[in-house]
Amino acid sequence: MGWPWVLCGAGLGLLIGSFIGAVAMRLPRDEGIVTGRSRCDGCGRVLAVRDLLPVISHVFARGRCRTCGAVIDTQHLLAELGGALVGGAAVALGADWLGALTTAIFGWQLLLLALLDGRHFWLPKRLVALLAVSSVLVTLAATNWQGVALSQIAGGALGFALLAAPALAYRWLRGREGLGKADPWLLGAIGLWVGMFGVIATLLLAALAGIAAAIVLRLAGKNIDSQSALPLGLFLALAGIAVRMVGLPL
């Protein structure tokens, strides 16, 4: 697909990313997602349309509220840029429109999960369940409701087992949790989208990303030891997006 369509995908991703950013901010505060006007976190002013233009508003306002000057949370900008990147890349790398759309849906869901886990170490069960269910629905719709491929089911089962087994072993040996309880379920849901080979690649990439992050934090002077926690869900989500974009066979 040509560059005009890639730009259209990125533009749609900007809008989706803006919504994702709002959800990522509101969910941890138990605020309504659909209802309620967007407000400044500093002064509470209801934001106007010109304050809500993805990326553009942030740039022209220099990342601050026009009324009180409070710094706007950069998570909004990250969500918008991430949404645009997912949308544009899905169209650029997709073999057809159906493939591009399904990849974008997958990527946008993982983007939200990455933002939540990266900041709050939280992977909401309902969002992980939605990721799994949407994979099944997308597959059934794409195959005229003929069924889900065995390799897809195997990818989900393998993804869950790859993290659930070591988590159980660690708990038995050390008497405490070594992984987040939602991490195996997240990898299992990703496996439903990327299959057996894809889920293995996802875990390897996530592990490498985690090691790289630990090294960077150590070089920055942070104390990294066996008690330190890193957001594995964040790395799994980003790795899952990358693997899906590459398009490894199920």
Side-chain angles (χ1 to χ4, degrees):
M1 288 179 271
W3 282 108
W5 292 114
V6 173
L7 293 177
C8 287
L12 176 61
L14 274 177
L15 298 177
I16 300 294
S18 180
F19 175 73
I20 289 173
V23 173
M25 295 295 295
R26 293 182 182 186
L27 269 183
R29 300 192 297 231
D30 199 25
E31 298 177 353
I33 296 175
V34 179
T35 59
R37 300 285 300 276
S38 296
R39 299 176 180 273
C40 170
D41 293 328
C43 63
R45 175 179 63 87
V46 175
L47 301 182
V49 174
R50 65 171 177 167
D51 299 310
L52 299 173
L53 298 175
V55 178
I56 296 175
S57 295
H58 190 94
V59 171
F60 278 92
R62 297 182 180 180
R64 293 183 177 273
C65 173
R66 292 186 294 107
T67 302
C68 67
V71 176
I72 299 173
D73 197 312
T74 55
Q75 183 165 261
H76 292 290
L77 183 61
L78 287 175
E80 292 164 0
L81 293 176
L85 180 60
V86 168
V91 174
L93 300 175
D96 51 41
W97 281 111
L98 180 61
L101 179 61
T102 56
T103 297
I105 291 173
F106 174 65
W108 288 325
Q109 289 185 82
L110 285 182
L111 175 60
L112 174 56
L113 288 165
L115 290 172
L116 290 172
D117 197 53
R119 173 168 291 188
H120 304 285
F121 289 88
W122 181 42
L123 296 170
K125 294 179 181 178
R126 54 184 170 173
L127 293 183
V128 176
L130 178 61
L131 181 67
V133 171
S134 62
S135 169
V136 174
L137 293 178
V138 164
T139 300
L140 292 175
T143 59
N144 294 318
W145 304 94
Q146 293 178 1
V148 179
L150 180 60
S151 59
Q152 186 176 359
I153 298 174
L158 178 62
F160 177 80
L162 283 173
L163 287 183
L168 287 173
Y170 187 92
R171 187 190 309 162
W172 181 72
L173 292 172
R174 302 293 296 273
R176 60 185 176 86
E177 299 291 342
L179 287 175
K181 293 183 179 180
D183 290 330
W185 294 102
L186 174 59
L187 188 57
I190 292 173
L192 289 172
W193 282 91
V194 301
M196 292 183 63
F197 296 107
V199 81
I200 294 172
T202 297
L203 183 56
L204 290 175
L205 282 177
L208 291 174
I211 293 171
I215 292 174
V216 170
L217 291 173
R218 191 66 179 269
L219 292 175
K222 301 292 184 180
N223 183 29
I224 302 296
D225 54 29
S226 60
Q227 303 297 319
S228 301
L230 291 175
L232 178 58
L234 165 65
F235 303 128
L236 290 174
L238 296 180
I241 294 173
V243 168
R244 176 77 182 191
M245 291 292 182
V246 172
L248 289 176
L250 293 175

